Amino acid sequence: LPVGFLLLFRYFSFRWIWTDEVKEASESKAPWIGYAPPHGVFPWGNMLSIFIINAALNVTFFGAAASIVFWTPGLKLIAAFGVIDVSKQSLMSALKKGHCVGIVPDGIAGIFHANDFDEVLCVKHRKGAARLALQTGRPLFPCFFFATHACCRCGTTSGAS
């Protein structure tokens, strides 16, 4: 990995935990759909996991981001991280090519529900990942990133006039 990315791992105290059974299942059941909430203000854990998965597992893995990200100056650089559009067409294309994909199911809504005190998930009405798994016959691999709310603080306009 490039030195800059290694520094990100150190800065965020990033830790990835799995068992041998999970590693074997991840490789033998590929391609799969990673289901990794919460989004938070910015999903650093999800972004860093792209490198870990590609380096540690015998799979090709892409994270998925909202289409608007690729049109936003500065943010569109995340494509260099190994990120694809989260559209159904893009995800299905990657899965058909044998690539694993990861999504953050609460998406942009997770940004607006993030706070400095709780791990908040906005997934109650989010069924796209389950629908994609059923339509493609690919397994969902659940994951969770703790303390995403601590990576980027939420601002407040309380008391503003």
Side-chain angles (χ1 to χ4, degrees), residues 2-3 21 26 42 52 54 56 63-64 69 74 88 90 108 122 136 146 153 157 161:
V3 173
E21 293 92 15
S26 297
F42 190 86
I52 294 292
N54 283 306
V69 168
K88 181 179 177 181
S90 180
I108 292 174
C122 303
T136 61
F146 291 96
R153 296 285 182 212
T157 57
S161 52

Side-chain angles (χ1 to χ4, degrees), residues 10-11 14 22 29 34 37 54 63 67-68 86-87 90 93 95 114 116 131 135 137 147 150 156 160-161:
R10 184 171 213 140
Y11 179 80
F14 186 80
V22 171
K29 298 199 182 295
N54 283 306
S67 304
I68 189 68
V86 77
S87 69
S90 180
S93 174
L95 290 166
D116 290 342
R131 192 176 301 118
Q135 289 174 347
T156 181
S161 52

Side-chain angles (χ1 to χ4, degrees), residues 110-153:
I111 295 171
F112 299 104
H113 291 344
N115 65 64
D116 290 342
F117 309 105
D118 302 309
E119 299 288 354
V120 179
L121 302 180
C122 303
V123 297
K124 184 176 182 180
H125 301 289
R126 302 290 178 126
K127 299 175 180 92
R131 192 176 301 118
L132 182 66
L134 290 169
Q135 289 174 347
T136 61
R138 304 313 316 157
L140 276 176
F141 275 45
C143 183
F144 189 86
F145 289 97
F146 291 96
T148 55
H149 66 282
C151 293
C152 297
R153 296 285 182 212

